[in-house]
Amino acid sequence: ALCVCVYMSAASVDAAPIDAASLWPELDRTCAYINAASRTPLPACVLAAGEAAVRRKAATPWDIGDTEAQKEEVRTLFGELLGGGVSSRDVAVLPSCSFAMSVAAHNLRGAMRARPAGRRRVLVLEDQNPSNVMQWQALCDDEGGELLALPRPADGDWASALVAQVDSGSVAVAALPPCHWCDGAVVDLAVVGAACSARGVPLVVDATQWLGAAAPLEPARIGACFVACSVHKWLLGPYGACLCYAEPSFWRALAGGAACSRLLLHVRTLFSSRRGARPLDHHDRNREGAQHVECLPMGPRGYPTAFQPGARRLEGGGRPSYIVMPMLVAALRLVAQQLTTRRIAARLGEMTSLVAAQAAALGFEVPPRHAPGIVGLRTGAGMPPAAELVRRLAALKPRPVLVSERLGGIRVSPPLY
């Protein structure tokens, strides 16, 4: 019955708006892969861009393409996906989500130190993805703070439970996702962000399971200081990159700009002696002038130290990957401009809503509100454990159904493909 619920629900949605066969001609369709939240297959255009890049370096290693220009287009396209008028100036290209969140923690250390003892909590969700938890654990250990993992609310209303904690006055940083990675349960970040802004609490968001599969977040609307997203899931890219937004007034506040919110005034105070946000590693590629020359000149006192403007200063060392950058350009063009997140979210939402309704009729527990791309099914009384059901689905003949078990639930994340 679960197989019918998962597989037939996805198959019953009208596929006409998206030509999956032409976009994913290489995909092995002998199984039903309903696990896009783990990783998505490469679309044909992304695969072609990667293959061409590898061949180009084999043939003409002296000319592997303008990776700086590609990187700038990646920043621009990511800004389009975020919505709300985000500029490429405010986007950094980083190696992973955990690296991006570590950059955020590194730069918000002062937010912890500025709080009195007993009010240095970092607020996260119970069973939140480790990419946006472990760096905060380390920060708490270093600065006498405490990680507060909020238990799953019985009524499924994450936002109200989070706001209550923020309003307690004990939270120094809120590090949250727009939806829970295990079951897709929605976290209303506009509501939480308003409470954070009122209390001067920086909001840091891991949007990996949201962007590309749901509505734009519009970071200014939710009051986020940082928003990061890995590219190998709903952004249809390869492994090897995470895109990270840093709030633009954040930079203006550091430069001594005019009026800003209570939160940004707080951030300005924290950074007044730091000369702005700092990267985790020190290198030449994020310094002013490096984007225009092959090698920065060294002077009597060393290399230039002025950073490039905006979030670029946060980027890690090394030149942009000649393989990842063109693949990512192709993927983001497909998601942001050809398919569009509106169409993607509508299609995914139809499928997950069908799965949720039929699973609930079978006795599974489902979130009251879930992301368009993810719905988690928690087993009811008398059912085998989720891990056992996932194994049974994977063993089905003639066509296995591949889904994930995540922390006691079955995570169903249906495909566009």
Side-chain angles (χ1 to χ4, degrees), residues 115 119 166-167 169 171 193-202 223 225 247 249 253 258-270:
R115 301 271 176 170
R119 298 195 174 203
V166 172
D167 285 346
V171 175
C196 288
S197 293
R199 291 279 181 175
V201 174
C225 283
E247 203 274 334
S249 295
C260 53
S261 69
R262 176 178 175 181
L263 171 59
L264 295 173
L265 285 169
H266 180 59
V267 170
R268 178 191 290 179
T269 301
L270 299 178

Side-chain angles (χ1 to χ4, degrees), residues 355-375:
V355 171
Q358 295 188 36
L362 290 171
F364 287 90
E365 177 188 342
V366 299
R369 289 181 61 206
H370 59 81
I374 303 174
V375 61

Side-chain angles (χ1 to χ4, degrees), residues 106-395:
H106 177 61
N107 281 283
L108 291 173
R109 186 176 296 273
M112 187 76 77
R113 290 177 179 171
R115 301 271 176 170
R119 298 195 174 203
R120 296 181 179 180
R121 287 178 158 182
V122 177
L123 182 60
V124 300
L125 307 183
E126 181 181 47
D127 295 330
Q128 185 168 300
N129 190 281
S131 290
N132 194 19
V133 174
M134 297 191 72
Q135 51 284 106
W136 304 110
Q137 291 177 222
L139 182 64
C140 288
D141 288 345
D142 292 346
E143 303 297 336
E146 177 188 359
L147 188 77
L148 173 58
L150 187 68
R152 185 181 302 275
D155 61 359
D157 185 358
W158 280 110
S160 294
L162 289 164
V163 167
Q165 291 298 329
V166 172
D167 285 346
S168 73
S170 66
V171 175
V173 177
L176 302 167
C179 66
H180 202 293
W181 74 298
C182 293
D183 62 4
V186 169
V187 179
D188 191 335
L189 290 183
V191 172
V192 178
C196 288
S197 293
R199 291 279 181 175
V201 174
L203 173 61
V204 180
V205 178
D206 171 8
T208 297
Q209 294 292 10
W210 187 268
L211 289 176
L217 279 178
E218 300 182 14
R221 180 179 64 86
I222 63 173
C225 283
F226 294 91
V227 180
C229 182
S230 291
V231 303
H232 62 278
K233 298 179 187 289
W234 301 107
L235 298 188
L236 306 181
Y239 279 93
C242 173
L243 306 177
C244 184
Y245 159 91
E247 203 274 334
S249 295
F250 178 80
W251 305 109
R252 290 196 289 270
L254 296 175
C260 53
S261 69
R262 176 178 175 181
L263 171 59
L264 295 173
L265 285 169
H266 180 59
V267 170
R268 178 191 290 179
T269 301
L270 299 178
F271 283 92
S272 59
S273 62
R274 294 284 305 279
R275 302 191 311 277
R278 311 292 287 181
L280 278 178
D281 57 345
H282 295 276
H283 55 90
D284 64 320
R285 299 311 305 170
N286 61 355
R287 308 295 170 154
E288 185 55 54
Q291 67 272 45
H292 306 304
V293 298
E294 186 72 16
C295 299
L296 280 176
M298 182 176 177
R301 301 182 66 180
Y303 286 98
T305 57
F307 289 109
Q308 292 179 32
R312 290 166 178 78
R313 67 167 59 206
L314 300 176
E315 294 186 342
R319 296 181 184 276
S321 168
Y322 73 95
I323 301 173
V324 173
M325 286 303 111
M327 295 178 75
L328 197 44
V329 167
L332 292 176
R333 285 176 180 172
L334 179 62
V335 173
Q337 298 177 345
Q338 182 178 339
L339 296 176
T340 74
T341 52
R342 182 176 180 178
R343 291 172 66 204
I344 293 169
R347 175 172 167 77
L348 295 177
E350 285 184 89
M351 290 190 281
T352 52
S353 294
L354 283 167
V355 171
Q358 295 188 36
L362 290 171
F364 287 90
E365 177 188 342
V366 299
R369 289 181 61 206
H370 59 81
I374 303 174
V375 61
L377 318 177
R378 296 190 178 275
T379 54
M383 292 185 181
E388 173 60 25
L389 291 175
V390 169
R391 284 192 292 269
R392 292 186 192 181
L393 289 167

